[in-house]
Amino acid sequence: MKTLQLTSSDRAILVRSRFFARLPHSTVDAILEGATLSSHEEHDVLFRQGDSIDDVFFVLSGLVRLYRLGKEGREADVAVFPKGEMFAENAMFLGHRVTASAEAAEASIILRLDSRKLRQLAAADPEVAQAIIEHLCHRGKMTEDLLAEDRLLTAPQRVASYILSHCPNGSTSFSFRLPFQKNVLAGKLGLAPEALSRAFSTLRQSGVTVKGRMIEIRDRQALERF
Amino acid sequence: MKTLQLTSSDRAILVRSRFFARLPHSTVDAILEGATLSSHEEHDVLFRQGDSIDDVFFVLSGLVRLYRLGKEGREADVAVFPKGEMFAENAMFLGHRVTASAEAAEASIILRLDSRKLRQLAAADPEVAQAIIEHLCHRGKMTEDLLAEDRLLTAPQRVASYILSHCPNGSTSFSFRLPFQKNVLAGKLGLAPEALSRAFSTLRQSGVTVKGRMIEIRDRQALERF
DNA sequence: CGCTGGGTTGAGGCGAGTCAACGGAAGTGG
DNA sequence: CCACTTCCGTTGACTCGCCTCAACCCAGCG
């Protein structure tokens, strides 16, 4: 872990993100006051379940995995945050205790905001509060989606659903590149890596081709039926 | 479904609830303006996945099940709200489209607040915004808990965890009454009713006795080890 | 008395986790 | 340039947990 300066491209990521995009520049500046920047290698731990945290985190580049710990070192991902996402806001309003661990799933640059300051701003500026509210709604829906998929879909169906969520609507055949290692995808979908692999095999017969991180879909309909 | 008047005991539930307790009476009154009250029988549907909703719901008595639909009529609970809980606030900030269905899991009295009014109030009054934020954080944590338990724990472990969450800390042996039908508990824990039943059987050998809705625990430690 | 509905028990099957072996791609060092 | 390792991913064999379906139990009630 290394401390850095906020570059202009970092700033571009920030102001384009769902959370900051809606706020005026002056407010963004106020939030950024006292923020610190750090770079992390894969597997660097940002915080641990049970820690007391005074920061809110923002992914400027890379990928962060949020997970809970179970018996005998088992881990269950509860969210995965790509570039442009903010997390650990919960702690800010829930006694600063964090209920999950976070680690970089690949080399990442992380911005750490002062949560006390952000909270003050939210109390003073309804626009900030509004932004936080929508952010929380969005996050809540994501988690709910995961929960529902876990409970309703089989492994191949979950993978199909993931693929479809990356499909530009209207196209019948398309392709895209996985934004991260299959390992991470497996975690996000609540699967063992082997199960993800087998799910891809199963989907092959529905017109899905996988080469490295490239996914190619021949027939969208076939996937939806799955 | 039948329309009713807000009784004084209803009001007591309201002002004692996590959400309203923190707000001054005048604010509560403002939120309640234009609210409507209705009573529902078990299995009454309050709204359906995909509906467009202009209300926020509050359970005055009874129990509401929030669930997503899967193929072939399958249902997966994503939350269960007892008396004193508010739900469907997500829709208010996410285009008023609701991503799950809700139905009364037993005879219930439901208060319907005007979501537009609540949103205006949140924009104008930081205290309201704050209350909503904390409410969302709390809900987010609940869902995350469910997801993590689904992924980390077996059926008996989930049941043990549920029982322990109802244990006054410090006591080694205790008992309590299930707040709802086993059917509903099974849904909340993401289990088939039969699986719940078997889980209770398994826990018997760890000192858990079940008679109707009464649960009796002889040895707390044994449960935690499970 | 028989009915109904919630809950339990049993038998069978399927989905996914686990462990182990293997494949190939990229990186390392001679 | 080629052997060697390492790491990610795949495949196979096996196990286990939970779902499904069906039968049954029992309490409440007409």
Side-chain angles (χ1 to χ4, degrees):
Chain A
M1 184 236 162
K2 220 170 61 178
T3 311
L4 304 170
Q5 281 293 331
L6 191 67
T7 71
S8 63
S9 73
D10 289 342
R11 235 199 120 83
I13 299 281
L14 262 177
V15 298
R16 249 184 276 133
S17 71
R18 191 181 5 259
F19 180 72
F20 286 99
R22 62 176 55 247
L23 298 171
H25 288 307
S26 59
T27 309
V28 174
D29 288 335
I31 294 176
L32 287 183
E33 209 186 298
T36 65
L37 200 61
S38 58
S39 97
H40 299 267
E41 318 228 309
E42 194 173 334
H43 297 131
D44 270 13
V45 174
L46 303 181
F47 54 78
R48 270 178 231 281
Q49 201 168 323
D51 281 1
S52 198
I53 299 282
D54 282 327
D55 311 282
V56 174
F57 295 73
F58 187 97
V59 184
L60 283 168
S61 80
L63 195 69
V64 173
R65 208 167 63 84
L66 191 73
Y67 56 97
R68 300 264 189 118
L69 300 171
K71 313 222 160 182
E72 295 148 31
R74 290 173 55 90
E75 300 180 352
D77 289 19
V78 289
V80 170
F81 303 103
K83 167 174 76 170
E85 290 277 335
M86 190 171 71
F87 64 99
E89 353 65 35
N90 273 29
M92 171 167 47
F93 301 99
L94 258 42
H96 295 277
R97 277 251 180 272
V98 98
T99 57
S101 304
E103 73 169 44
E106 58 186 55
S108 305
I109 300 179
I110 305 295
L111 187 65
R112 232 168 274 239
L113 310 170
D114 179 354
S115 76
R116 294 166 195 286
K117 159 151 284 168
L118 183 55
R119 197 156 148 212
Q120 276 170 233
L121 282 168
D125 182 347
E127 262 194 301
V128 175
Q130 188 71 9
I132 292 180
I133 287 175
E134 294 195 16
H135 178 253
L136 289 171
C137 283
H138 183 257
R139 285 263 293 127
K141 181 173 148 16
M142 302 269 87
T143 323
E144 217 177 87
D145 287 349
L146 282 184
L147 180 62
E149 294 199 346
D150 267 31
R151 293 186 168 183
L152 288 171
L153 306 181
T154 66
Q157 288 172 329
R158 271 179 270 182
V159 175
S161 157
Y162 174 81
I163 291 176
L164 286 170
S165 75
H166 283 246
C167 168
N169 52 1
S171 57
T172 152
S173 107
F174 65 104
S175 72
F176 73 105
R177 186 180 154 80
L178 282 181
F180 35 71
Q181 268 178 209
K182 295 201 180 137
N183 236 328
V184 178
L185 178 58
K188 179 181 153 91
L189 299 181
L191 296 173
E194 298 94 326
L196 175 64
S197 195
R198 283 186 242 270
F200 275 132
S201 296
T202 306
L203 291 181
R204 212 175 8 243
Q205 67 201 38
S206 301
V208 176
T209 329
V210 181
K211 266 211 199 78
R213 283 201 193 171
M214 285 306 302
I215 312 283
E216 208 182 310
I217 291 86
R218 259 199 301 287
D219 180 6
R220 189 198 167 136
Q221 264 60 313
L223 264 195
E224 282 166 354
R225 253 176 284 121
F226 208 92
Chain B
M1 184 236 164
K2 220 171 63 179
T3 310
L4 303 171
Q5 281 293 331
L6 192 66
T7 70
S8 63
S9 75
D10 290 342
R11 235 200 121 83
I13 300 281
L14 263 176
V15 298
R16 248 184 276 135
S17 72
R18 191 179 7 257
F19 180 72
F20 286 99
R22 61 175 55 246
L23 298 171
H25 288 307
S26 60
T27 310
V28 174
D29 288 336
I31 295 176
L32 288 184
E33 209 186 299
T36 65
L37 199 61
S38 57
S39 99
H40 300 266
E41 317 230 308
E42 193 173 338
H43 298 130
D44 270 13
V45 173
L46 302 181
F47 52 78
R48 270 177 231 282
Q49 200 168 322
D51 282 359
S52 197
I53 299 281
D54 282 328
D55 311 283
V56 174
F57 294 72
F58 187 96
V59 184
L60 282 169
S61 82
L63 195 69
V64 172
R65 208 167 63 83
L66 191 73
Y67 57 97
R68 299 265 190 118
L69 300 170
K71 314 220 165 187
E72 295 150 32
R74 290 173 56 88
E75 301 180 353
D77 289 19
V78 291
V80 170
F81 303 104
K83 167 175 77 171
E85 290 278 333
M86 190 171 68
F87 64 98
E89 354 62 38
N90 272 32
M92 170 166 51
F93 301 99
L94 258 42
H96 295 275
R97 276 249 180 276
V98 97
T99 58
S101 304
E103 71 168 45
E106 58 186 55
S108 304
I109 299 178
I110 304 295
L111 186 67
R112 231 167 272 240
L113 310 170
D114 179 355
S115 76
R116 294 167 194 285
K117 158 150 284 166
L118 182 55
R119 197 155 149 213
Q120 275 170 235
L121 281 169
D125 182 348
E127 261 194 301
V128 175
Q130 188 70 11
I132 293 180
I133 287 174
E134 294 195 16
H135 178 253
L136 288 172
C137 284
H138 183 258
R139 285 262 293 129
K141 182 171 147 16
M142 300 272 86
T143 322
E144 217 177 88
D145 288 349
L146 281 184
L147 181 62
E149 295 199 346
D150 267 31
R151 292 186 169 182
L152 289 170
L153 305 181
T154 66
Q157 288 172 329
R158 271 179 270 181
V159 176
S161 158
Y162 174 80
I163 291 176
L164 286 170
S165 76
H166 283 247
C167 168
N169 51 1
S171 57
T172 152
S173 106
F174 66 104
S175 72
F176 72 104
R177 185 181 154 82
L178 283 182
F180 33 68
Q181 270 179 202
K182 295 198 179 140
N183 237 328
V184 178
L185 178 58
K188 179 181 153 96
L189 298 180
L191 296 173
E194 299 93 325
L196 176 64
S197 193
R198 284 185 242 270
F200 275 132
S201 295
T202 307
L203 291 181
R204 211 174 9 243
Q205 67 201 40
S206 300
V208 176
T209 328
V210 182
K211 267 211 198 79
R213 284 201 191 169
M214 285 307 300
I215 312 282
E216 207 182 312
I217 292 86
R218 257 199 302 287
D219 181 5
R220 186 196 170 139
Q221 264 61 316
L223 265 196
E224 280 165 355
R225 254 176 282 123
F226 209 92

